[in-house]
Amino acid sequence: MSRETEKQRWQRNFADLLQELRVAQTGVQILFAFLLTLPFSNGFTRATAFQKDVYVVSLLSAAAATAMIISPVAFHRALFRQGRKPELVRFAHAMASGGLAFMLISMVSAVLLITDFVLNRPIAVMLTALTGVWFLVLWAVLPFARRNWGDDDIDDEDDDPQALPGD
């Protein structure tokens, strides 16, 4: 079995990150599109001041998530063929992490907006809190806990975009 070179490893890490960003990008773009059309629907005029504030938080968070998740493309264009793949991978990793954080805020805010519109506030807040916890468990707790489950998948140790080759 041949060992990949440092350059190949950075290229693979970047390709892996791009695949992850494609998945996240689709979700955040659908949410963002929904949020952009919401004020133009007939029922939005019945929204309370609280619901409109929650809407703005959700909209701006979706915009921030979209910008961060797409930014590695612009960064790649700027650094194209400059041999700076490690810098690009580190930047893309940071933007993906930040984008997911804003996506979480946007999704949880959207849940609060909709549930507060159709249910009474205490139930809406409880369901929103449960949704936030669910996302955090799936997006943060389990993945980070998995890092300590053992070394049964040796290839994963090379997938850390923060690690330098040879670490």
Side-chain angles (χ1 to χ4, degrees):
M1 179 170 110
S2 66
R3 189 88 171 132
E4 67 184 349
T5 66
E6 183 177 326
K7 184 176 181 179
Q8 290 169 327
R9 181 174 168 210
W10 285 113
Q11 185 60 40
R12 179 179 52 81
N13 284 340
F14 184 63
D16 289 348
L17 265 169
L18 285 180
Q19 285 300 100
E20 294 168 9
L21 290 171
R22 283 184 184 109
V23 171
Q25 180 182 5
T26 301
V28 76
Q29 285 179 325
I30 290 169
L31 178 60
F32 193 40
F34 161 74
L35 290 168
L36 288 173
T37 63
L38 192 59
F40 303 104
S41 65
N42 291 336
F44 196 75
T45 57
R46 293 182 297 147
T48 66
F50 172 77
Q51 291 164 347
K52 289 178 181 177
D53 290 344
V54 171
Y55 167 78
V56 169
V57 168
S58 189
L59 178 71
L60 294 177
S61 297
T66 301
M68 291 183 86
I69 288 171
I70 295 173
S71 69
V73 174
F75 204 84
H76 181 259
R77 288 291 89 212
L79 298 183
F80 188 66
R81 294 192 180 200
Q82 291 189 5
R84 295 168 61 186
K85 193 70 71 177
E87 182 181 351
L88 177 59
V89 169
R90 287 185 185 103
F91 174 81
H93 170 71
M95 291 299 104
S97 298
L100 286 174
F102 277 112
M103 192 172 176
L104 171 68
I105 293 166
S106 184
M107 294 182 96
V108 171
S109 298
V111 168
L112 179 58
L113 172 64
I114 302 303
T115 57
D116 190 68
F117 191 79
V118 299
L119 302 169
N120 62 32
R121 182 145 314 143
I123 292 174
V125 169
M126 180 193 65
L127 291 174
T128 300
L130 288 172
T131 301
V133 168
W134 184 246
F135 273 95
L136 286 172
V137 165
L138 293 176
W139 287 8
V141 174
L142 288 178
F144 285 103
R146 172 62 176 100
R147 295 177 101 168
N148 299 322
W149 286 357
D151 53 6
D152 57 342
D153 193 358
I154 294 171
D155 188 47
D156 276 353
E157 71 186 32
D158 288 340
D159 287 342
D160 183 1
Q162 293 291 84
L164 295 174
D167 282 359

Coordinates of all heavy atoms in Angstrom, one line a residue, residues 117-164:
F117 N -45.8 30.9 16.3 CA -46.9 31.4 15.4 C -48.1 30.4 15.6 O -49.3 30.9 15.6 CB -46.5 31.4 14.0 CG -47.4 32.2 13.1 CD1 -47.5 33.5 13.1 CD2 -48.3 31.4 12.2 CE1 -48.4 34.2 12.2 CE2 -49.2 32.1 11.4 CZ -49.2 33.5 11.4
V118 N -47.9 29.1 15.7 CA -49.0 28.2 15.7 C -49.3 27.6 17.1 O -50.4 27.0 17.2 CB -48.7 27.0 14.7 CG1 -48.6 27.5 13.3 CG2 -47.5 26.2 15.1
L119 N -48.4 27.7 18.0 CA -48.7 27.2 19.4 C -48.5 28.3 20.4 O -48.1 29.4 20.1 CB -47.7 26.1 19.7 CG -47.6 24.9 18.7 CD1 -46.4 24.0 19.0 CD2 -48.9 24.1 18.8
N120 N -48.8 28.0 21.7 CA -48.6 29.0 22.7 C -47.1 29.0 23.0 O -46.4 28.1 22.8 CB -49.5 28.9 23.9 CG -49.3 27.6 24.6 OD1 -48.2 27.0 24.7 ND2 -50.3 27.0 25.3
R121 N -46.7 30.2 23.5 CA -45.2 30.5 23.7 C -44.5 29.4 24.5 O -43.4 29.0 24.1 CB -45.0 31.9 24.2 CG -43.5 32.2 24.3 CD -43.0 33.5 24.0 NE -43.6 34.1 22.8 CZ -43.9 35.4 22.6 NH1 -43.7 36.2 23.6 NH2 -44.4 35.8 21.5
P122 N -45.0 29.0 25.7 CA -44.2 28.1 26.5 C -44.0 26.8 25.8 O -42.8 26.2 25.8 CB -45.1 27.8 27.7 CG -45.9 29.1 27.8 CD -46.2 29.5 26.4
I123 N -44.9 26.3 25.0 CA -44.7 25.0 24.3 C -43.7 25.3 23.1 O -42.8 24.5 22.8 CB -46.0 24.5 23.7 CG1 -46.9 24.0 24.9 CG2 -45.8 23.4 22.7 CD1 -48.3 23.6 24.5
A124 N -43.8 26.5 22.5 CA -42.9 26.8 21.4 C -41.5 26.9 21.9 O -40.5 26.4 21.3 CB -43.3 28.2 20.8
V125 N -41.3 27.5 23.1 CA -39.9 27.6 23.7 C -39.4 26.2 24.0 O -38.2 25.9 23.8 CB -40.0 28.6 24.9 CG1 -38.6 28.5 25.7 CG2 -40.2 30.0 24.4
M126 N -40.2 25.4 24.6 CA -39.8 24.0 25.0 C -39.4 23.2 23.7 O -38.4 22.6 23.7 CB -40.9 23.3 25.7 CG -40.5 21.8 26.1 SD -41.9 20.8 26.7 CE -42.9 20.7 25.2
L127 N -40.2 23.3 22.7 CA -39.9 22.5 21.4 C -38.7 23.1 20.8 O -37.9 22.3 20.2 CB -41.1 22.6 20.5 CG -42.4 21.8 20.9 CD1 -43.5 22.0 20.0 CD2 -42.0 20.3 21.0
T128 N -38.5 24.4 20.8 CA -37.3 25.0 20.3 C -36.1 24.6 21.0 O -35.0 24.3 20.4 CB -37.5 26.5 20.2 OG1 -38.6 26.9 19.5 CG2 -36.2 27.2 19.7
A129 N -36.2 24.6 22.3 CA -35.0 24.1 23.2 C -34.7 22.7 22.9 O -33.5 22.3 22.7 CB -35.3 24.3 24.6
L130 N -35.7 21.8 22.7 CA -35.4 20.4 22.4 C -34.8 20.3 21.0 O -33.9 19.5 20.8 CB -36.7 19.6 22.4 CG -37.3 19.3 23.8 CD1 -38.7 18.7 23.7 CD2 -36.3 18.5 24.6
T131 N -35.2 21.1 20.1 CA -34.6 21.1 18.7 C -33.2 21.5 18.8 O -32.3 20.9 18.2 CB -35.4 22.1 17.8 OG1 -36.8 21.6 17.8 CG2 -34.8 22.1 16.4
G132 N -32.9 22.6 19.6 CA -31.5 23.1 19.7 C -30.6 22.0 20.3 O -29.5 21.8 19.9
V133 N -31.1 21.3 21.4 CA -30.3 20.3 22.0 C -30.1 19.1 21.0 O -29.0 18.6 20.9 CB -31.1 19.8 23.3 CG1 -30.4 18.5 23.8 CG2 -31.0 20.9 24.4
W134 N -31.1 18.8 20.3 CA -31.0 17.7 19.3 C -29.9 18.0 18.3 O -29.1 17.2 18.0 CB -32.4 17.5 18.6 CG -32.4 16.3 17.7 CD1 -32.6 16.4 16.3 CD2 -32.3 14.9 18.0 NE1 -32.6 15.2 15.8 CE2 -32.4 14.2 16.7 CE3 -32.0 14.2 19.1 CZ2 -32.3 12.9 16.7 CZ3 -31.9 12.8 19.0 CH2 -32.0 12.2 17.8
F135 N -29.9 19.2 17.7 CA -28.9 19.6 16.8 C -27.5 19.6 17.4 O -26.6 19.1 16.8 CB -29.2 21.0 16.2 CG -30.1 21.0 15.0 CD1 -31.4 21.2 15.2 CD2 -29.6 20.9 13.8 CE1 -32.3 21.3 14.1 CE2 -30.4 20.9 12.6 CZ -31.7 21.1 12.8
L136 N -27.4 20.1 18.6 CA -26.1 20.1 19.3 C -25.6 18.7 19.5 O -24.4 18.4 19.4 CB -26.2 20.9 20.6 CG -26.2 22.4 20.4 CD1 -26.5 23.1 21.7 CD2 -25.0 22.9 19.8
V137 N -26.5 17.8 19.9 CA -26.1 16.4 20.1 C -25.6 15.8 18.8 O -24.5 15.2 18.8 CB -27.2 15.6 20.7 CG1 -26.9 14.1 20.6 CG2 -27.5 16.0 22.2
L138 N -26.3 16.0 17.8 CA -25.9 15.4 16.5 C -24.8 16.1 15.8 O -24.0 15.4 15.1 CB -27.1 15.3 15.5 CG -28.3 14.4 15.9 CD1 -29.4 14.6 15.0 CD2 -27.8 13.0 16.0
W139 N -24.6 17.4 16.0 CA -23.6 18.1 15.3 C -22.3 18.3 16.1 O -21.3 18.6 15.5 CB -24.1 19.5 14.8 CG -25.1 19.5 13.7 CD1 -25.7 18.4 13.1 CD2 -25.6 20.6 13.0 NE1 -26.5 18.8 12.1 CE2 -26.5 20.1 12.0 CE3 -25.4 22.0 13.2 CZ2 -27.2 21.0 11.2 CZ3 -26.1 22.8 12.3 CH2 -27.0 22.3 11.3
A140 N -22.4 18.2 17.4 CA -21.2 18.5 18.2 C -20.9 17.4 19.2 O -19.8 16.9 19.2 CB -21.4 19.8 19.0
V141 N -21.9 17.1 20.0 CA -21.6 16.1 21.1 C -21.1 14.7 20.5 O -20.0 14.2 20.9 CB -22.8 15.9 22.1 CG1 -22.5 14.8 23.1 CG2 -23.1 17.3 22.7
L142 N -21.9 14.1 19.7 CA -21.6 12.8 19.1 C -20.3 12.9 18.3 O -19.4 12.0 18.5 CB -22.7 12.2 18.3 CG -23.9 11.8 19.2 CD1 -25.0 11.3 18.2 CD2 -23.5 10.7 20.1
P143 N -20.1 13.8 17.4 CA -18.9 13.8 16.6 C -17.6 14.0 17.5 O -16.6 13.3 17.3 CB -19.1 15.0 15.7 CG -20.5 15.2 15.5 CD -21.1 14.8 16.9
F144 N -17.7 14.8 18.5 CA -16.5 15.0 19.3 C -16.3 13.9 20.3 O -15.2 13.5 20.6 CB -16.5 16.4 20.0 CG -16.2 17.5 19.1 CD1 -17.2 18.3 18.6 CD2 -14.9 17.8 18.7 CE1 -17.0 19.4 17.7 CE2 -14.6 18.8 17.8 CZ -15.7 19.6 17.3
A145 N -17.4 13.3 20.7 CA -17.3 12.1 21.6 C -16.7 11.0 20.8 O -15.9 10.1 21.3 CB -18.7 11.7 22.2
R146 N -17.0 10.9 19.5 CA -16.5 9.8 18.7 C -15.0 9.8 18.5 O -14.4 8.8 18.4 CB -17.2 9.9 17.3 CG -16.6 9.0 16.2 CD -16.8 7.5 16.6 NE -16.3 6.7 15.5 CZ -15.2 6.0 15.5 NH1 -14.3 6.2 16.5 NH2 -14.8 5.2 14.5
R147 N -14.4 11.0 18.7 CA -13.0 11.1 18.6 C -12.3 10.3 19.6 O -11.1 9.9 19.5 CB -12.6 12.6 18.8 CG -13.1 13.5 17.6 CD -12.7 14.9 17.9 NE -11.6 15.2 17.1 CZ -11.1 16.4 16.9 NH1 -11.7 17.4 17.5 NH2 -10.1 16.6 16.1
N148 N -12.9 10.0 20.7 CA -12.3 9.2 21.8 C -12.8 7.8 21.9 O -12.5 7.1 22.9 CB -12.6 10.0 23.2 CG -12.0 11.3 23.2 OD1 -10.9 11.6 22.6 ND2 -12.8 12.3 23.7
W149 N -13.5 7.3 20.9 CA -14.1 5.9 21.0 C -13.0 4.9 20.7 O -13.3 3.7 20.7 CB -15.2 5.8 20.0 CG -16.5 6.4 20.5 CD1 -16.7 7.1 21.7 CD2 -17.7 6.5 19.8 NE1 -17.9 7.6 21.8 CE2 -18.6 7.2 20.6 CE3 -18.2 6.1 18.6 CZ2 -19.9 7.5 20.3 CZ3 -19.5 6.3 18.2 CH2 -20.3 7.0 19.0
G150 N -11.9 5.3 20.3 CA -10.8 4.3 19.9 C -10.3 4.6 18.6 O -10.7 5.5 17.9
D151 N -9.3 3.8 18.2 CA -8.6 4.0 16.9 C -9.0 2.9 15.9 O -8.1 2.4 15.2 CB -7.1 4.2 17.1 CG -6.5 3.0 17.9 OD1 -7.2 2.1 18.2 OD2 -5.3 3.1 18.2
D152 N -10.3 2.5 15.9 CA -10.6 1.4 15.0 C -10.7 1.9 13.5 O -10.7 1.0 12.6 CB -12.0 0.9 15.4 CG -13.1 1.9 15.5 OD1 -12.8 3.1 15.5 OD2 -14.3 1.5 15.4
D153 N -10.6 3.1 13.3 CA -10.7 3.6 11.9 C -9.4 4.5 11.7 O -9.5 5.7 11.7 CB -11.9 4.4 11.6 CG -12.2 4.7 10.2 OD1 -11.3 4.3 9.3 OD2 -13.2 5.3 9.8
I154 N -8.3 3.9 11.4 CA -7.0 4.6 11.4 C -7.0 5.7 10.3 O -6.4 6.7 10.5 CB -5.9 3.6 11.2 CG1 -5.8 2.7 12.4 CG2 -4.6 4.3 10.9 CD1 -4.9 1.5 12.3
D155 N -7.7 5.5 9.2 CA -7.7 6.5 8.1 C -8.2 7.8 8.6 O -7.8 8.9 8.1 CB -8.4 5.9 6.9 CG -8.3 6.9 5.7 OD1 -7.2 7.2 5.4 OD2 -9.3 7.2 5.1
D156 N -9.2 7.8 9.6 CA -9.7 9.1 10.0 C -8.7 10.0 10.6 O -8.9 11.2 10.6 CB -10.8 8.8 11.1 CG -12.2 8.5 10.4 OD1 -12.3 8.6 9.2 OD2 -13.1 8.2 11.1
E157 N -7.6 9.5 11.2 CA -6.7 10.4 11.8 C -6.0 11.3 10.8 O -5.6 12.4 11.2 CB -5.6 9.6 12.5 CG -4.6 8.9 11.6 CD -3.7 8.0 12.4 OE1 -4.1 7.4 13.4 OE2 -2.6 7.8 11.9
D158 N -6.1 11.0 9.5 CA -5.5 11.9 8.5 C -6.5 12.9 8.0 O -6.2 13.8 7.2 CB -5.0 11.1 7.3 CG -3.8 10.3 7.6 OD1 -3.1 10.6 8.6 OD2 -3.5 9.3 6.9
D159 N -7.8 12.9 8.5 CA -8.8 13.8 8.0 C -8.9 15.1 8.8 O -9.8 15.9 8.4 CB -10.1 13.0 8.0 CG -10.2 12.0 6.9 OD1 -9.4 12.1 5.9 OD2 -11.1 11.1 6.9
D160 N -8.1 15.3 9.8 CA -8.2 16.5 10.6 C -7.6 17.6 9.8 O -6.4 17.7 9.7 CB -7.6 16.3 11.9 CG -7.7 17.5 12.8 OD1 -8.3 18.5 12.4 OD2 -7.2 17.5 13.9
P161 N -8.4 18.6 9.3 CA -7.8 19.7 8.5 C -7.0 20.6 9.3 O -6.2 21.4 8.7 CB -9.1 20.4 7.9 CG -10.2 20.0 8.8 CD -9.8 18.6 9.4
Q162 N -7.1 20.6 10.6 CA -6.3 21.4 11.4 C -4.9 20.8 11.7 O -3.9 21.5 12.0 CB -6.9 21.6 12.8 CG -8.2 22.4 12.7 CD -8.0 23.9 12.4 OE1 -7.8 24.2 11.2 NE2 -7.9 24.7 13.3
A163 N -4.8 19.5 11.5 CA -3.5 18.9 11.7 C -2.5 19.2 10.6 O -2.9 19.3 9.4 CB -3.7 17.4 11.8
L164 N -1.3 19.3 10.9 CA -0.3 19.5 9.9 C 0.2 18.1 9.4 O 0.2 17.1 10.2 CB 0.9 20.3 10.4 CG 0.6 21.7 10.8 CD1 1.8 22.3 11.5 CD2 0.2 22.5 9.6

